Amino acid sequence: MTAHPDRSILAARNKSLKSVFMRWEFLLLGLFLAINIMNAVISPYYLNAGNLFTAINSFLVKGFIAMPMAYLLVLGDIDLSVGSTVALSATLLGVSYNAGVPMGLAILIALLCGTMCGLLNGLILTRFTELAPMIVTLGTMTLYRGISEMILGSQSTGSFHNVSWFYQIYYARLGPVPYLFFFFCLLALAFGFVLHKTIFGRQLFAIGSNRLTAKYSGVPVQRHRLICYTLMGLVCGMSGVFYSSWMGTVRFDIATGYELEAISVAVLGGISTSGGKGTFPGAIISIFIIGLLGYGLGLINVNSQTILMIIGLILIAVVMAPNLKTRRKPGIKTS
Amino acid sequence: MSEILLELKGITKTFPGVKALDKVHFQLRRGEIHAIMGENGAGKSTFIKVITGVHMPDEGEIILNGKKVVFRSPLAAQREGIAAIYQNVTSYPDLSVTENIFIGHEKVERGIIQWKKMHKAAEELLRPLNVDFQPAALMGTLSVAQQQIVEIAKALSMNAQIIIMDEPTAALTNSESEELYRITERLRDEGKSIIIISHRLEDMYCLASRVTVFRDANYIGTYQVSEITPPELIKAMVGREINDLFPKPKAKIGNEVFRVESLGRTGYFKDISLSIKQREIVGLTGLVGSGRTEVVQTIFGVEPYDTGTVYLDGKAVEIHSPQDAMKLGIGLLTEDRQNQGLILDWGIGRNVTLPALAKYARGKITKDPIENMAAKALCEQMGVKAQSVFDKASSLSGGNQQKVVVAKALTSELKLLIMDEPTKGVDVGAKAAIYEVISDLIMKGMSILIISSEMPEILGMCDRIYVMHDGRLMGELDREEATQERILELAMLKKTALAVEG
């Protein structure tokens, strides 16, 4: 083979301390700490483990959705139907239970419903690859919500808390820590590991970076997309179960806006909506940043609309920050 | 006609960390076609951008018509009658030809666009260029060659005196190139001055009267085209002699490895039968649009086929996806390496290992150090010029990108490597390196199918040549019997002859 002894290519990267501190996750971690300190200062009740985990548990119900959403965004895809899928899954759980189906089976029905919703999104988008995910899932968003409303009308269905073990899914704790929190951490570790340390994860990044190149490199593009949409549906089903266990009753209009919150935290976490970029830990930290910020502001009686405004502003500011940094670069000229 | 129209003296341009031009000179006469040649990165593009006002030089002066000028913007250069036609045509595909020609200087009266006048003016501009499309046609429906003619018309509509063509024939077939030559010569005869930048020596020899060579940001010299031989010119460009541009290895050709029989895909190609033996280099040529690319994409499983059978080592195989093809040991280097071959945002290491992640992983878990070492070895073997495997693919020149794409294909155990236009847009030095790689692969026992529009490449490298026309295989030529004329004859068979036949 041709020898080029004069040309040596480095295979190792020299990691500077600066590059570690300049990482996006590090910035988010700082923001996370700042919000905790602020909350602790403004409210003496904040640093009470019991209260804190009550708050955390309530935003974890939707926090789960951010994990597969991160996968979809990395792929360059998006799913707007997640809130509706949560509602439809919870609706079917409620209707089945009240029709006399055992609770265990009702949970399975809810999970299956979520999976089917995700699978349908995935099948449409992988069979008709020219369709835009945003439009298709906007369609299924109203479709799934419509089915829920058709089933329930303006009624609520519930009294799930009669089944005590179902009540425990959300409320059971080990000391001050809810089991749901442990489950969330486990799942986050698994999702993060798969995204960053496995062949599957690398291929997701490849698809999001350049779908054609991925295809020509033998990456099963459409199969991976289908898997991610289906996974998204399954997690929505799970979220629906947790919601039911939390509230004890279900209406058709629950979980509205979950899609936007899931997308927001993923974007805040540094995952680009145009695909191929971002890290999972950033998204997880962001779930807590937004959740705890809302909780802290609630403690000092800031009303919920104002909280949403503040979160919106923070999102814009944080997303703009790296752009401002790169924007200045072309100005530096050596002429 | 030796009056000097444009002169640049001692032009220096520095970008952060790089000297792109170092005291460069250039003279353009009125009514002259002047070629600028040099390898990628020699400074040709920067030089053009200085002339067209995109960049301001740090040092040196520009003298136009005997007057010293300073172009502070591309618009300023345009006003002085300098127009550039770039390599990648920068048009608006959803607008009409007329709109594209007059974009930025529409004919306006009292704030209203005068469509009739514009269409008429467009027609007048296009008529002498011998076009077969209407000014009302949408730009996106035209071929690359036609779009380039529109760009020329656009330059003329602005009363350009100096027309700069950057790689005008890169995406054209031979006959289209000849048409472009004719138009260019006509413009020269009308007194326009033309600067042409090209990697193709044919372009220069056919058109230019003088050639200026750049190397590593330096001015090497200006020569009379009639007085410089190709080897001398290449030496001026590369800085060393390339004795044999086509190092065709004398490999022992073995048994048949690959064969397709009456492969067909409705609307694209029909009845394609070809075979390739071990250690054989087979060429597949024909005009752009003759179905060459579609055939190999089908063989690689990107597109489905309706009829026919594919045999590998004598056994019929089914290929429905690139994964299938890769498992069987068939690799494809696509023509469009920027959009189909590489992830430009990624480091070259990650690009190289993408098709064979499983090979470097433990179970399903990726192992970065193993990947990086493997990528390093393959890139070094290909002679990729890079600092580390973390260098972004976008930071490499075209030739080096192509080497990365080849390295990528080599991660799999290949029996057959298909290369679609492997040296398109690549400079002479990198071309020689790619041919060397091809020879190495052959000696290792691989077989290669090359698709190319470049005759010297096909004639210089291939053992056998298949020629396509209009989705059909028109013939097969041995190395001995193949000449440029015979290939062209087969590639351009008149459609009427076909109609009689089938």
Side-chain angles (χ1 to χ4, degrees):
Chain A
M1 210 65 207
T2 340
H4 293 275
D6 52 321
R7 257 177 224 156
S8 167
I9 297 169
L10 293 175
R13 201 203 298 259
N14 36 355
K15 277 187 185 144
S16 68
L17 208 58
K18 197 181 156 200
S19 72
V20 175
F21 284 111
M22 283 304 287
R23 288 190 62 145
W24 188 246
E25 294 85 347
F26 202 82
L27 209 108
L28 289 173
L29 219 52
L31 197 59
F32 173 74
L33 283 177
I35 281 168
N36 277 299
I37 293 167
M38 186 190 82
N39 285 348
V41 169
I42 56 179
S43 165
Y45 307 108
Y46 180 71
L47 287 179
N48 171 313
N51 291 347
L52 197 55
F53 276 111
T54 302
I56 289 174
N57 232 18
S58 66
F59 65 72
L60 284 190
V61 169
K62 56 194 169 194
F64 281 98
I65 297 173
M67 301 190 209
M69 187 65 88
Y71 277 25
L72 285 178
L73 293 177
V74 163
L75 276 173
D77 276 280
I78 203 163
D79 188 347
L80 297 182
S81 72
V82 290
S84 303
T85 308
V86 172
L88 184 56
S89 304
T91 300
L92 285 194
L93 181 138
V95 171
S96 318
Y97 171 70
N98 283 319
V101 175
M103 190 46 107
L105 197 59
I107 291 176
L108 274 182
I109 289 173
L111 295 179
L112 194 70
C113 164
T115 311
M116 285 301 157
C117 290
L119 185 69
L120 179 65
N121 286 336
L123 282 177
I124 296 172
L125 288 167
T126 54
R127 292 295 174 274
F128 305 95
T129 51
E130 67 281 4
L131 298 181
M134 194 180 286
I135 305 304
V136 169
T137 57
L138 191 67
T140 53
M141 169 175 140
T142 35
L143 173 70
Y144 300 157
R145 184 72 68 182
I147 299 174
S148 291
E149 190 175 5
M150 214 163 72
I151 295 173
L152 287 182
S154 56
Q155 302 294 305
S156 66
T157 176
S159 51
F160 306 138
H161 286 170
N162 293 342
V163 185
S164 80
W165 65 264
F166 187 72
Y167 172 84
Q168 295 297 334
I169 291 178
Y170 180 84
Y171 289 97
R173 291 184 180 211
L174 183 70
V177 188
Y179 282 99
L180 194 69
F181 180 77
F182 289 121
F183 181 64
F184 179 86
C185 293
L186 264 172
L187 208 62
L189 279 176
F191 266 83
F193 183 81
V194 168
L195 187 61
H196 290 298
K197 296 285 172 200
T198 67
I199 296 176
F200 180 75
R202 178 78 63 82
Q203 291 179 330
L204 295 191
F205 277 104
I207 296 169
S209 298
N210 185 334
R211 201 179 274 190
L212 268 179
T213 300
K215 181 180 176 184
Y216 279 100
S217 303
V219 176
V221 175
Q222 302 308 337
R223 200 184 78 195
H224 282 9
R225 290 180 72 211
L226 185 62
I227 290 173
C228 288
Y229 275 106
T230 310
L231 189 66
M232 178 90 245
L234 173 62
V235 173
C236 288
M238 264 167 42
S239 175
V241 172
F242 296 145
Y243 185 95
S244 308
S245 167
W246 176 23
M247 290 299 175
T249 64
V250 169
R251 291 169 50 87
F252 84 91
D253 56 358
I254 62 162
T256 45
Y258 275 25
E259 59 284 335
L260 295 181
E261 291 199 38
I263 295 164
S264 307
V265 295
V267 169
L268 181 61
I271 295 175
S272 154
T273 47
S274 52
K277 285 202 183 71
T279 67
F280 199 76
I284 297 298
I285 300 170
S286 301
I287 293 174
F288 286 89
I289 290 178
I290 297 217
L292 290 177
L293 180 70
Y295 173 57
L297 293 173
L299 280 180
I300 51 168
N301 293 323
V302 177
N303 68 42
S304 56
Q305 284 84 359
T306 317
I307 295 177
L308 285 180
M309 278 168 54
I310 293 173
I311 290 176
L313 286 174
I314 288 182
L315 188 68
I316 293 172
V318 172
V319 173
M320 239 158 71
N323 289 16
L324 291 178
K325 206 178 75 194
T326 50
R327 173 107 35 100
R328 218 178 301 130
K329 255 185 200 157
I332 310 162
K333 273 186 182 159
T334 56
S335 55
Chain B
M1 289 287 271
S2 66
E3 184 198 341
I4 288 160
L5 179 63
L6 175 73
E7 185 167 16
L8 287 91
K9 283 188 196 161
I11 298 287
T12 298
K13 176 76 193 172
T14 315
F15 292 108
V18 208
K19 204 161 214 182
L21 291 172
D22 192 0
K23 299 199 177 59
V24 166
H25 308 284
F26 180 75
Q27 266 189 357
L28 182 68
R29 291 178 190 145
R30 200 178 290 280
E32 171 188 49
I33 301 181
H34 195 133
I36 297 181
M37 303 204 66
E39 289 194 279
N40 286 338
K44 292 170 299 184
S45 304
T46 312
F47 183 71
I48 290 312
K49 285 180 179 160
V50 168
I51 300 182
T52 53
V54 178
H55 293 320
M56 295 265 291
D58 304 334
E59 282 171 39
E61 50 190 28
I62 305 175
I63 297 157
L64 183 71
N65 263 329
K67 284 200 305 278
K68 190 171 176 240
V69 290
V70 179
F71 297 140
R72 296 190 188 279
S73 70
L75 208 63
Q78 256 177 37
R79 282 205 199 98
E80 296 291 336
I82 297 176
I85 296 161
Y86 289 106
Q87 192 170 348
N88 304 315
V89 178
T90 46
S91 61
Y92 302 88
D94 293 328
L95 297 184
S96 72
V97 168
T98 306
E99 284 167 288
N100 269 285
I101 290 177
F102 288 103
I103 201 129
H105 56 284
E106 291 86 355
K107 289 189 183 303
V108 180
E109 279 170 26
R110 291 186 299 276
I112 296 162
I113 294 189
Q114 302 298 309
W115 287 105
K116 271 188 188 160
K117 282 190 183 167
M118 257 163 57
H119 276 301
K120 212 167 157 236
E123 242 176 71
E124 273 160 21
L125 284 167
L126 290 168
R127 198 178 305 125
L129 301 177
N130 259 339
V131 297
D132 51 1
F133 54 86
Q134 294 299 314
L138 288 187
M139 196 71 169
T141 62
L142 305 185
S143 72
V144 180
Q146 290 170 326
Q147 292 188 16
Q148 255 166 0
I149 292 173
V150 174
E151 293 286 315
I152 292 172
K154 183 174 162 185
L156 295 176
S157 75
M158 291 185 280
N159 273 324
Q161 290 308 308
I162 298 173
I163 299 174
I164 301 163
M165 299 182 175
D166 188 3
E167 293 282 351
T169 58
L172 305 190
T173 61
N174 281 311
S175 58
E176 288 170 336
S177 299
E178 275 163 29
E179 181 62 32
L180 189 74
Y181 292 166
R182 270 196 291 279
I183 291 172
T184 313
E185 280 164 357
R186 188 191 189 119
L187 293 174
R188 177 197 59 197
D189 296 342
E190 285 168 8
K192 313 270 185 220
S193 303
I194 291 152
I195 302 173
I196 180 164
I197 295 170
S198 178
H199 280 127
R200 286 166 75 169
L201 294 181
E202 301 103 287
D203 290 348
M204 187 208 77
Y205 277 105
C206 284
L207 284 174
S209 52
R210 289 196 302 164
V211 55
T212 293
V213 176
F214 291 167
R215 186 173 74 228
D216 299 332
N218 286 296
Y219 171 81
I220 300 300
T222 300
Y223 313 92
Q224 292 293 330
V225 171
S226 51
E227 288 164 14
I228 187 165
T229 64
E232 286 167 353
L233 188 69
I234 290 172
K235 196 184 164 199
M237 280 160 58
V238 184
R240 62 191 152 85
E241 276 181 68
I242 294 180
N243 293 321
D244 191 2
L245 186 56
F246 302 109
K248 174 88 183 68
K250 299 222 175 343
K252 197 174 139 280
I253 290 176
N255 296 324
E256 180 189 281
V257 173
F258 178 83
R259 177 161 52 101
V260 293
E261 266 175 21
S262 42
L263 199 66
R265 183 173 160 221
T266 314
Y268 294 91
F269 55 85
K270 198 179 164 186
D271 216 9
I272 303 290
S273 299
L274 49 81
S275 70
I276 299 156
K277 301 192 185 73
Q278 200 187 9
R279 292 191 208 89
E280 192 179 31
I281 306 177
V282 174
L284 180 61
T285 188
L287 307 180
V288 171
S290 61
R292 315 172 306 182
T293 298
E294 287 75 10
V295 168
V296 293
Q297 291 202 328
T298 302
I299 291 175
F300 192 61
V302 178
E303 304 291 348
Y305 52 91
D306 309 322
T307 59
T309 323
V310 181
Y311 298 89
L312 197 74
D313 291 327
K315 283 199 298 282
V317 290
E318 297 270 326
I319 299 176
H320 298 297
S321 67
Q323 293 97 286
D324 291 348
M326 285 163 68
K327 264 186 216 131
L328 291 166
I330 300 171
L332 171 68
L333 305 190
T334 57
E335 179 181 358
D336 185 353
R337 52 185 164 266
Q338 306 234 336
N339 292 318
Q340 299 174 348
L342 290 170
I343 294 177
L344 294 172
D345 265 356
W346 281 18
I348 55 175
R350 291 230 154 155
N351 267 297
V352 167
T353 53
L354 179 61
L357 286 171
K359 188 172 156 188
Y360 307 110
R362 294 291 164 267
K364 296 280 178 203
I365 299 167
T366 51
K367 293 287 173 201
D368 284 350
I370 301 176
E371 276 186 41
N372 291 339
M373 288 312 291
K376 167 190 158 76
L378 281 165
C379 287
E380 282 176 358
Q381 187 186 323
M382 285 299 116
V384 176
K385 274 189 219 167
Q387 294 289 316
S388 85
V389 294
F390 302 104
D391 286 7
K392 281 190 177 183
S394 54
S395 69
L396 270 55
S397 69
N400 276 303
Q401 286 182 347
Q402 185 67 307
K403 289 181 201 166
V404 174
V405 178
V406 178
K408 201 177 146 183
L410 295 187
T411 52
S412 318
E413 286 294 317
L414 290 183
K415 289 183 179 136
L416 171 67
L417 180 61
I418 305 168
M419 305 172 112
D420 196 348
E421 298 281 6
T423 60
K424 185 176 163 186
V426 158
D427 60 55
V428 179
K431 253 185 200 170
I434 289 167
Y435 297 140
E436 221 174 285
V437 167
I438 292 177
S439 305
D440 286 337
L441 298 179
I442 291 296
M443 296 315 279
K444 282 170 104 184
M446 225 182 260
S447 311
I448 293 195
L449 178 63
I450 298 180
I451 295 187
S452 177
S453 304
E454 286 203 38
M455 286 291 167
E457 179 170 297
I458 288 280
L459 293 168
M461 291 302 290
C462 297
D463 294 299
R464 263 182 320 123
I465 299 155
Y466 290 102
V467 187
M468 281 188 75
H469 173 84
D470 228 10
R472 302 276 200 114
L473 217 48
M474 299 316 299
E476 180 187 340
L477 300 168
D478 272 339
R479 186 176 175 77
E480 290 73 33
E481 54 178 334
T483 61
Q484 189 151 343
E485 289 71 35
R486 299 240 12 215
I487 292 177
L488 279 177
E489 211 177 277
L490 289 170
M492 309 213 283
L493 266 190
K494 292 279 173 295
K495 283 189 180 140
T496 46
L498 263 180
V500 173
E501 184 195 316

